[in-house]
Amino acid sequence: MTTDRLAEGRVNYLLVSLAALGTTLPLFLIAAFVGWDVGFSLTLAGLVLAFTIPVAFEYRANRTRPRNVQFLDYRRHHYGSTIANACDTHLRRSDRQWTFEYLRPASATGVDSKEFQLTQLREAVNADVDAVVILADGQFVDRVFWQTVVHCQNAGIAIVVLEPPPPREVFEDQGLDPPFFVTSDYCAGGELIAGAIAHQLQTDSQSRALLLVGPRGSWSGEERSRQMLMRLILDGYQERFDILPISDWCVTEGRCKEIVEALNAAPTTTRWVIYAADDEHALALHRYLVNETTDLRDRTWIIGYDASGVEFGSIPAFEFGAAEATIDVDVVEQGREVARYLVGRRLGRVRSSRSSVLVAPRLILLSDYLLTR
């Protein structure tokens, strides 16, 4: 059976002491009965204690040994770094010692990030690594990637995945439980988006919605887009929105032009409700509409996602007037949940088979945000 690198050895000090006493006392009585001198009896007792004391010290050494955690991000972005910082901070507040290393690739391309993470995972097997937290690019994760994660688990490394969700069948085929999965509840996020858009469409019967959906292969993007679309259709708005699929999370001028072309296809009096995929798209689109069009920004109501910067006390999309609403996925709480799991597993308070935690998102309106400034 593979040894869990993260877990602490379990030795009961009371039982160790009782075992030492229970062994030493009979030996002492026997030695006294058969006529051995007290000095020799004490020698025997010393031998017994010499055996039990190292056991206790080994336990203490195992308990105090710092556990080494690696956080593998797939890009240079505040989303992953904020989760990592929250996790590191929470670990340091526990009564155990931890070392924490945040690693990310030098290149931003998906293929390079995948190879970077695969290399780190393979090296962790033979390195002094006790746990690995993975935030991967779902567009480039394949079976080889998950098989490498399986190899790490077989080596006793605790794995936590933030995105995408680990496929159960890959791990169950190897007789393993899937890694612990922590993420925002993107289905709930999709419901929040749909609710906010529906409210705006109800306000103006002539308004339309433009929805940036995807990207394809991005689990978080597809999950919230799917739920948003399903809710709007179920609520009867299928004739009042247009869909604009996006291929990736990169914000470009070309994409902004594509959005404007879609908006200009409607009458010039149309009021638009736009789901901009995330706050970074909202910021870029706002800037483009203000600089490159005459009145389009005045006729748009924009909702972003991820509430970029909310953990620092401000939301840039609101500060620059780029969105009227956004969704906060509470990245700090995600980091704390990762840390709670690692601490609990180290102390034996949670099972390695504990499956997942979904952190609830929340809708933030610009009007409410301004009241707090």
Side-chain angles (χ1 to χ4, degrees), residues 3 5 121 124-125 129-132 152-159 345:
T3 301
R5 298 185 187 184
L121 288 170
V125 172
V129 176
D130 302 294
V132 177
C152 288
Q153 282 190 310
N154 282 327
I157 299 174
I159 302 292
R345 180 162 168 179

Side-chain angles (χ1 to χ4, degrees), residues 348-361:
R349 295 174 182 169
V350 298
R351 303 189 312 274
S352 61
S353 60
R354 186 186 175 197
S355 58
S356 64
V357 167
L358 298 180
V359 176

Side-chain angles (χ1 to χ4, degrees), residues 232-367:
L232 287 172
I233 291 172
L234 289 175
D235 289 347
Y237 293 101
Q238 62 270 23
E239 301 298 328
R240 296 187 60 189
F241 65 77
D242 300 313
I243 296 175
L244 182 61
I246 59 176
S247 57
D248 53 45
W249 291 114
C250 297
V251 184
T252 64
E253 183 177 353
R255 182 165 296 165
C256 291
K257 288 181 178 179
E258 190 177 2
I259 294 171
V260 170
E261 289 175 1
L263 300 179
N264 285 333
T268 56
T269 57
T270 303
R271 179 175 173 272
W272 283 98
V273 180
I274 302 175
Y275 164 57
D278 63 13
D279 278 14
E280 292 181 18
H281 275 83
L283 282 161
L285 178 60
H286 166 75
R287 189 179 304 113
Y288 189 86
L289 291 177
V290 169
N291 294 333
E292 304 296 333
T293 68
T294 53
D295 67 335
L296 263 179
R297 184 62 184 102
D298 296 331
R299 294 191 285 113
T300 58
W301 186 93
I302 300 175
I303 180 170
Y305 208 94
D306 289 340
S308 304
V310 68
E311 62 276 5
F312 304 116
S314 65
I315 301 176
F318 286 165
E319 296 292 335
F320 290 97
E324 281 66 45
T326 188
I327 306 294
D328 175 19
V329 296
D330 203 345
V331 289
V332 171
E333 183 60 23
Q334 291 183 54
R336 290 173 182 154
E337 285 290 354
V338 172
R340 291 185 191 111
Y341 172 78
L342 294 176
V343 172
R345 180 162 168 179
R346 176 174 180 172
L347 300 179
R349 295 174 182 169
V350 298
R351 303 189 312 274
S352 61
S353 60
R354 186 186 175 197
S355 58
S356 64
V357 167
L358 298 180
V359 176
R362 65 189 180 103
L363 173 69
I364 306 177
L365 298 174
L366 175 61
S367 55

Side-chain angles (χ1 to χ4, degrees), residues 126-240:
N126 298 316
D128 187 20
V129 176
D130 302 294
V132 177
V133 184
I134 302 171
L135 176 59
D137 186 346
Q139 293 177 291
F140 294 91
V141 169
D142 54 16
R143 192 172 184 86
V144 172
F145 183 90
W146 293 118
Q147 289 290 355
T148 306
V149 175
V150 167
H151 187 45
C152 288
Q153 282 190 310
N154 282 327
I157 299 174
I159 302 292
V160 179
V161 177
L162 291 159
E163 191 179 325
R168 297 189 65 87
E169 64 278 4
V170 173
F171 298 89
E172 291 174 348
D173 287 348
Q174 302 294 323
L176 298 171
D177 293 312
F180 184 55
F181 180 51
V182 179
T183 191
S184 174
D185 189 340
Y186 287 106
C187 283
E191 290 278 351
L192 290 175
I193 301 167
I197 291 172
H199 178 74
Q200 294 300 315
L201 294 177
Q202 290 171 1
T203 303
D204 182 353
S205 61
Q206 301 302 312
S207 61
R208 290 190 62 80
L210 179 65
L211 313 175
L212 275 61
V213 300
R216 180 179 295 277
S218 168
W219 176 79
S220 59
E222 289 187 325
E223 192 79 357
R224 62 190 188 236
S225 294
R226 184 183 305 111
Q227 193 67 28
M228 169 187 65
L229 292 172
M230 183 173 69
R231 174 51 55 193
L232 287 172
I233 291 172
L234 289 175
D235 289 347
Y237 293 101
Q238 62 270 23
E239 301 298 328
R240 296 187 60 189

